[in-house]
Amino acid sequence: GEDVEQSLFLSVREGDSSVINCTYTDSSSTYLYWYKQEPGAGLQLLTYIFSNMDMKQDQRLTVLLNKKDKHLSLRIADTQTGDSAIYFCAEGKIKAAGNKLTFGGGTRVLVKP
Amino acid sequence: NAGVTQTPKFRILKIGQSMTLQCAQDMNHNYMYWYRQDPGMGLKLIYYSVGAGITDKGEVPNGYNVSRSTTEDFPLRLELAAPSQTSVYFCASSYLGRAEAFFGQGTRLTVV
């Protein structure tokens, strides 16, 4: 079956880099996503990567994908207090019967001044 | 653009009561979804729809019903509320051919 795993918590100092890790089991995933959820808010799509890519960079965000190990990571450079949130990894497949996203449990990131 | 709009934002229900969570999107997305998020957990798919008139069950459909009479609206119905349905409910939508979903702000439901 499909499963997405993340560590529960990450604490980082302001200005340092954060690295959030995720593993998934379904090798047929088409896309892999990172969503951010701030307190009391919905999920905001941060970035995504096609499964045939190894890396994607978008300003302070770098996504690395190791397909062999089914490992995805999100690096946030120069972490700011506004980056404190829960980050969800998700894997997705596009199907005629309905696109499907499977989410991990979320990693709570706390940025300390 | 409003995106995905959910109402209400908060609700307290008594056991056995019924309610409908509303969801509307103005992006002309084909696909719409209902998820629930329990504390410390990821999102679980309740129901989804690939277009008006077509709905299907997700991972955790028991205790819920949906309908999709228009492209824009996808209400979620709870018929006999139970404490196990205390959760935050998110509606989402996506384009045909794209798996990333756009989420509403959520409805926090407490059943007492």
Side-chain angles (χ1 to χ4, degrees):
Chain A
E2 299 138 352
D3 198 16
V4 180
E5 301 272 348
Q6 299 178 239
S7 53
L8 284 176
F9 185 73
L10 175 68
S11 178
V12 62
R13 292 211 175 274
E14 190 175 13
D16 287 351
S17 292
S18 311
V19 179
I20 307 166
N21 294 300
C22 169
T23 57
Y24 61 97
T25 56
D26 191 344
S27 57
S28 67
S29 300
T30 312
Y31 300 87
L32 293 131
Y33 301 88
W34 285 104
Y35 281 85
K36 177 183 181 184
Q37 184 182 32
E38 296 183 18
L43 278 71
Q44 172 197 355
L45 178 64
L46 276 182
T47 186
Y48 64 93
I49 188 168
F50 293 104
S51 58
N52 62 357
M53 295 170 62
D54 298 323
M55 186 182 89
K56 181 179 180 182
Q57 188 147 6
D58 185 0
Q59 299 182 333
R60 292 191 297 122
L61 305 178
T62 303
V63 180
L64 293 177
L65 175 60
N66 181 328
K67 281 193 72 175
K68 175 175 170 289
D69 294 338
K70 299 189 185 71
H71 182 268
L72 181 75
S73 67
L74 174 70
R75 179 176 179 270
I76 306 172
D78 186 26
T79 311
Q80 304 297 307
T81 54
D83 295 325
S84 290
I86 302 175
Y87 291 80
F88 289 93
C89 167
E91 58 95 10
K93 285 186 282 291
I94 297 173
K95 298 180 177 180
N99 300 340
K100 187 176 177 189
L101 279 174
T102 301
F103 287 85
T107 300
R108 184 177 296 274
V109 174
L110 177 64
V111 182
K112 297 180 178 177
Chain B
N1 259 351
V4 180
T5 303
Q6 290 183 239
T7 55
K9 287 189 170 53
F10 304 94
R11 184 73 186 266
I12 298 174
L13 278 184
K14 292 185 179 177
I15 294 171
Q17 285 186 319
S18 302
M19 79 164 293
T20 299
L21 283 66
Q22 301 291 344
C23 175
Q25 53 93 9
D26 62 358
M27 297 174 281
N28 205 30
H29 286 171
N30 300 81
Y31 296 157
M32 294 187 75
Y33 313 84
W34 275 105
Y35 290 89
R36 60 178 285 172
Q37 183 184 27
D38 297 323
M41 306 288 285
L43 279 72
K44 299 291 185 185
L45 182 64
I46 305 171
Y47 270 95
Y48 65 98
S49 168
V50 302
I54 306 168
T55 62
D56 211 342
K57 296 177 181 179
E59 299 174 73
V60 290
N62 291 344
Y64 307 95
N65 276 302
V66 293
S67 59
R68 183 101 181 266
S69 56
T70 66
T71 300
E72 294 78 20
D73 300 301
F74 190 40
L76 177 73
R77 178 89 179 152
L78 283 72
E79 289 294 349
L80 289 170
S84 62
Q85 293 177 304
T86 293
S87 190
V88 181
Y89 292 84
F90 288 102
C91 179
S93 67
S94 66
Y95 286 112
L96 176 67
R98 298 289 294 272
E100 73 264 28
F102 296 84
F103 283 80
Q105 294 294 299
T107 296
R108 185 175 295 276
L109 175 68
T110 303
V111 182
V112 295

